[in-house]
Structures are given as structure tokens and as C-alpha cells.
Amino acid sequence: MGDKIYVPYQEAESEFVEKRSRFIGHVWPVDSEDQAQELLRRVKKQHYDARHNCWCYLLQEGGVVRYSDDGEPQGTAGQPMLNVFQRESVTNVCCVVTRYFGGVLLGAGGLTRAYTKGAKDALDAVGISTMSLWTLWDVPCTYPLFERVKLEITACGGVVRDTEYGADIRLRAAFPAGGAEQFVPRLTELSAGSLAMEAAGEEFLPGLRESANGT
């Protein structure tokens, strides 16, 4: 896996039909088992009339790995789905592949291929992003400079996480590696040296969307 951690960029759904069985794949980014379990409950409620709602989830914290074949022959659904994310080094992910049975048996090999495809198609639809350590900063700002400061933060690859409005404005900004160093001289220039930002810690955050298959 190396030192890179990948997470789903957002949530997405994909669908295909195999020998009249309809497979719906769904992928979400998750931070906790509670969140994953809530998503599983939601899907089972939404697709209560489906023959199977097979699922898996992986969490970076604690190395949590869970999966279920939900009535399919053992080893034909949850584990193959899990393998898709392990191969791509994707974590903090929850995936459900729902099957509406079409009356034709697929056999163990066919099922494994179908559930693998369901997970992979949904992951390809969603894309991934690389988790990396960002630095957090409190950036003081006056109202006249507000829009310019926001633009400069973005220009340096940063994002505004929070904004406090008072007599002046205080922004909580997050920067990827090197971004804060780029931003400091711009803030100094904008404010003629009257504003200086303060370090507020660091946090692992996802970056931009990438293709799951590395293209």
C-alpha cells in the first residue's frame, strides 16, 4: 500500500444487468462504523424488496474490515467486493451491492464476477482522493479584504473550513504541504503587514478527485 491513503471522493451509484439480475453498486466515504451501519440500514430499507444487499466497509482507524454475503453463497459477494478496495488501497469506504434476482442462476464464478464489477463500477464512478496532512491556520481579515483573502487562500491550494464574523473576520484555513508558505507573503502584501495568521494544528484531509484506476 505504501504511505498513501486513498478515500472515496464522494458517494456514487452504478448499475448493470447480468442474466436478468439487476446489480446496483453504491459507494460512500465514511469515518466510523456507526456511519457505515447507518448507511447499511438505509439501503436495506430503500431496497427492502431486493433478494440480496451484500456489503463491506473498511476503516483506517483501528483497521476495521467487515463484510457480508447477505444470503449469497459464502465467499461470492462480500469478500470479492472488499478485495476491490484493498487492491486500490482505498479505506474509509462503505459499499453495498444490491441484487434484484432475475430468475437465472449465475453460479459461484458468475456471482463473484458480478459483485466485483458492482463494487468496481461504483468506485470508478465516485473517484478517489489522496489523504495527506494539511496544516490549519487562523487567518485574521478585515471586511474590505475578505473576498481577496479567500481568493488568495484558494490560489495557494487552500480551503476555508470556517468563518467567524465579529468586529473583523477570522477564517480557519487549511493548506496542503507548501501552501501556507506561499500564502504568508500574499497576506502580508494585501494587508500592508498589518495581518498575520496563527498556526492552529494539522489534520488529515482528502485532496482533489483522481481516477480509481490510476488514469
Side-chain angles (χ1 to χ4, degrees):
M1 178 173 168
D3 56 358
K4 286 200 170 177
I5 302 167
Y6 299 104
V7 295
Y9 182 68
Q10 55 190 22
E11 70 169 89
E13 195 175 277
S14 64
E15 189 177 320
F16 68 96
V17 175
E18 182 71 29
K19 293 184 179 171
R20 299 213 296 268
S21 275
R22 183 174 158 224
F23 290 88
I24 304 164
H26 210 134
V27 165
W28 302 264
V30 290
D31 294 320
S32 67
E33 282 208 73
D34 286 348
Q35 191 183 357
Q37 292 287 349
E38 178 54 37
L39 289 167
L40 298 180
R41 281 192 290 272
R42 204 169 83 192
V43 171
K44 286 174 183 175
K45 193 173 175 184
Q46 181 186 351
H47 295 294
Y48 68 91
D49 54 342
R51 176 71 70 92
H52 307 281
N53 284 296
C54 303
W55 55 266
C56 67
Y57 59 83
L58 299 86
L59 295 166
Q60 170 73 5
E61 195 171 326
V64 175
V65 175
R66 303 266 188 275
Y67 61 90
S68 167
D69 295 314
D70 193 37
E72 292 283 30
Q74 188 176 354
T76 61
Q79 184 73 55
M81 289 161 58
L82 192 66
N83 291 345
V84 168
F85 302 104
Q86 290 173 328
R87 269 199 307 273
E88 302 275 359
S89 298
V90 174
T91 189
N92 287 11
V93 57
C94 177
C95 176
V96 179
V97 177
T98 298
R99 180 189 184 192
Y100 284 91
F101 184 56
V104 179
L105 295 173
L106 299 183
L111 285 173
T112 299
R113 283 191 295 276
Y115 281 103
T116 299
K117 177 175 167 58
K120 184 78 173 76
D121 285 359
L123 181 61
D124 287 345
V126 79
I128 57 175
S129 60
T130 307
M131 293 290 283
S132 57
L133 198 59
W134 291 48
T135 54
L136 303 177
W137 299 84
D138 285 331
V139 183
C141 174
T142 60
Y143 282 89
L145 289 177
F146 182 43
E147 293 303 325
R148 269 305 294 282
V149 168
K150 281 200 297 184
L151 283 173
E152 293 291 355
I153 289 171
T154 304
C156 294
V159 292
V160 176
R161 301 291 304 282
D162 196 20
T163 309
E164 283 180 23
Y165 300 94
D168 285 319
I169 299 169
R170 181 172 286 270
L171 303 173
R172 171 62 61 87
F175 289 98
E181 289 77 2
Q182 283 182 14
F183 177 69
V184 167
R186 299 188 186 200
L187 180 64
T188 303
E189 189 181 331
L190 268 181
S191 66
S194 64
L195 299 177
M197 63 184 191
E198 297 170 13
E202 50 192 26
E203 190 178 339
F204 270 100
L205 294 171
L208 300 174
R209 186 187 186 281
E210 306 165 36
S211 295
N213 56 14
T215 58

